[in-house]
Amino acid sequence: MPWIRHATIALVIAIGTLGAGACGPTDRYERAEARAVDEVGAEFGAEVDQLIETLGVTVESMSMRANRCDAEEGAGDDIFHIWIGMRARHDDRDVDVAIEQQHSRWMTAGWPITRFREVEGGGFNLAATDPKTGAAYALDSGFDEDPDSYVVGTFTTVCFRDPSGAVTFGPL
């Protein structure tokens, strides 16, 4: 009976459409907390400044950007994360000691350590996630120019949704 076959096909399409709407790849962005870019940047910048102070380094260069959060099917113009990059020098030429101490502080505070290794030829790679905010922190040392002093850091927030509807991506 043709009408049964058509009714079955219609039912399958209806169920498929409902299921696709309930668990699409952009769901995590729809759940992103609504916060203004400038507000997130200022707050996260202050957190990174505290880390820099704890490390005892002098920043030589630093940049902060609002970057687009990528999704499998693209992301809206209102979905962003804050990225901060820095290059610094440890004044006492003990950058590896400072990184090892930071590793201990993060471990004691219960941060998940995603990478901690000594680099061949000297230096360390350390990466961890702040369990309260989900922000990712990474520190690297052992650069040829001055392996005992230089450290590079990259710091990234989770994704947020700007309530204004559009983000000007790029340097802040």
Side-chain angles (χ1 to χ4, degrees):
M1 295 188 191
W3 67 270
I4 293 176
R5 186 174 63 202
H6 292 290
T8 303
I9 291 171
L11 181 61
V12 168
I13 290 171
I15 291 172
T17 302
L18 288 173
C23 58
T26 58
D27 278 355
R28 64 185 171 145
Y29 299 110
E30 291 171 6
R31 291 188 305 263
E33 181 181 350
R35 305 255 322 264
V37 170
D38 293 342
E39 176 187 340
V40 175
E43 185 177 295
F44 191 54
E47 291 172 17
V48 170
D49 285 346
Q50 286 179 328
L51 170 67
I52 290 168
E53 187 177 314
T54 301
L55 289 172
V57 297
T58 301
V59 174
E60 292 187 344
S61 64
M62 180 177 256
S63 64
M64 179 186 295
R65 299 181 54 83
N67 287 341
R68 183 179 304 276
C69 286
D70 295 323
E72 293 172 14
E73 295 180 2
D77 290 338
D78 60 340
I79 306 296
F80 72 95
H81 70 267
I82 299 296
W83 175 89
I84 298 174
M86 68 122 195
R87 175 182 161 151
R89 176 186 288 275
H90 195 278
D91 298 328
D92 294 333
R93 300 182 52 82
D94 286 333
V95 71
D96 290 346
V97 171
I99 290 175
E100 287 179 299
Q101 290 172 343
Q102 188 60 46
H103 174 254
S104 294
R105 283 190 288 273
W106 283 339
M107 290 287 292
T108 300
W111 286 36
I113 305 298
T114 55
R115 181 180 73 230
F116 184 58
R117 66 182 181 97
E118 190 167 353
V119 178
E120 191 174 309
F124 284 94
N125 297 135
L126 171 62
T129 304
D130 182 339
K132 294 177 190 165
T133 66
Y137 290 73
L139 299 168
D140 296 296
S141 66
F143 298 99
D144 289 341
E145 185 175 333
D146 191 348
D148 296 326
S149 295
Y150 278 111
V151 60
V152 170
T154 56
F155 318 100
T156 307
T157 68
V158 296
C159 294
F160 292 91
R161 177 181 299 278
D162 191 297
S164 72
V167 173
T168 302
F169 296 104
L172 296 178

